[in-house]
Amino acid sequence: SGTQKHNHRNNNNDTKTLRLQYNTKNNNPNTTHTHTHTHTHARTQAEIMKFSVHFQLVVGALALITAVVNATGEDVNVTWFIPGNESLAPRTVQVGDRMVFNWEQFHNVHIHPSGNCSEQGAIPVGFSTGASYVFTEDDIGTMVFACDVAMHCELGGQIMTVTVEKPPIEVDWFIPGNE
């Protein structure tokens, strides 16, 4: 009879060591016998490549998770007025931007899918100064905004073409362990 002590150690080189220690009480109670068994698992090239691919996928996923995308956008302020004979200057915005229409006197803002002063299918944006519109992915391309009060669009040129673009993607790469 004797006592057994099992030590399992997993080293970085993937070596597993099992150490058995026992005291033999038959002959000398102070004698300790130690048996050590070492098993080294050699990795094949295929296993190493598989691990490498998995590691790269994990690192890539972590980088994507930490990516910072321009989701908040910027405020684009528009002074909404009757310019006279010509339409308002065209604008270019990005998805996520918010266009804020400010005016004095009496106006409103509508999206005109027709692309001109026709009010057919017009979508209301606002009826008081400070009305705003946030651009989405669905808006990419060209949009037209107009005032539908009286003949402000037709005679006064209170119409504006807006080009909506995808925002640039800003990525802040983070790889664990490389701070």
Side-chain angles (χ1 to χ4, degrees), residues 102-177:
N102 296 300
W103 63 79
E104 295 177 6
Q105 301 174 355
F106 188 70
H107 298 290
N108 62 33
V109 182
H110 287 76
I111 297 170
H112 280 213
S114 64
N116 56 38
C117 290
S118 169
E119 294 179 24
Q120 185 163 346
I123 302 163
V125 173
F127 299 92
S128 60
T129 190
S132 65
Y133 184 83
V134 177
F135 297 94
T136 68
E137 293 269 339
D138 294 337
D139 298 324
I140 292 174
T142 302
M143 296 180 70
V144 173
F145 292 85
C147 179
D148 288 347
V149 171
M151 300 293 282
H152 290 189
C153 181
E154 294 86 345
L155 299 178
Q158 195 170 4
I159 184 170
M160 179 178 62
T161 302
V162 177
T163 302
V164 184
E165 301 175 339
K166 286 185 178 182
I169 297 175
E170 299 173 14
V171 179
D172 181 16
W173 291 98
F174 170 75
I175 300 175

Side-chain angles (χ1 to χ4, degrees):
S1 81
T3 58
Q4 294 184 357
K5 182 177 180 183
H6 299 274
N7 291 326
H8 297 276
R9 187 176 72 224
N10 194 355
N11 298 328
N12 290 338
N13 63 0
D14 209 26
T15 299
K16 295 178 183 169
T17 303
L18 175 63
R19 182 172 288 130
L20 300 175
Q21 293 182 335
Y22 58 92
N23 297 327
T24 57
K25 296 183 181 177
N26 296 345
N27 298 332
N28 184 348
N30 296 325
T31 303
T32 300
H33 295 277
T34 302
H35 294 272
T36 303
H37 173 73
T38 303
H39 174 73
T40 303
H41 180 71
R43 300 255 183 222
T44 65
Q45 187 66 27
E47 288 173 312
I48 292 170
M49 290 300 293
K50 186 176 176 182
F51 174 78
S52 176
V53 168
H54 285 132
F55 179 77
Q56 289 173 1
L57 288 173
V58 168
V59 169
L62 288 173
L64 286 176
I65 289 170
T66 59
V68 178
V69 179
N70 179 14
T72 57
E74 296 182 13
D75 281 351
V76 178
N77 292 304
V78 173
T79 301
W80 197 233
F81 67 101
I82 301 171
N85 294 335
E86 297 182 23
S87 53
L88 294 166
R91 298 283 186 107
T92 300
V93 297
Q94 295 176 349
V95 170
D97 286 351
R98 180 174 73 130
M99 187 165 279
V100 181
F101 297 86
N102 296 300
W103 63 79
E104 295 177 6
Q105 301 174 355
F106 188 70
H107 298 290
N108 62 33
V109 182
H110 287 76
I111 297 170
H112 280 213
S114 64
N116 56 38
C117 290
S118 169
E119 294 179 24
Q120 185 163 346
I123 302 163
V125 173
F127 299 92
S128 60
T129 190
S132 65
Y133 184 83
V134 177
F135 297 94
T136 68
E137 293 269 339
D138 294 337
D139 298 324
I140 292 174
T142 302
M143 296 180 70
V144 173
F145 292 85
C147 179
D148 288 347
V149 171
M151 300 293 282
H152 290 189
C153 181
E154 294 86 345
L155 299 178
Q158 195 170 4
I159 184 170
M160 179 178 62
T161 302
V162 177
T163 302
V164 184
E165 301 175 339
K166 286 185 178 182
I169 297 175
E170 299 173 14
V171 179
D172 181 16
W173 291 98
F174 170 75
I175 300 175
N178 288 338
E179 288 98 26

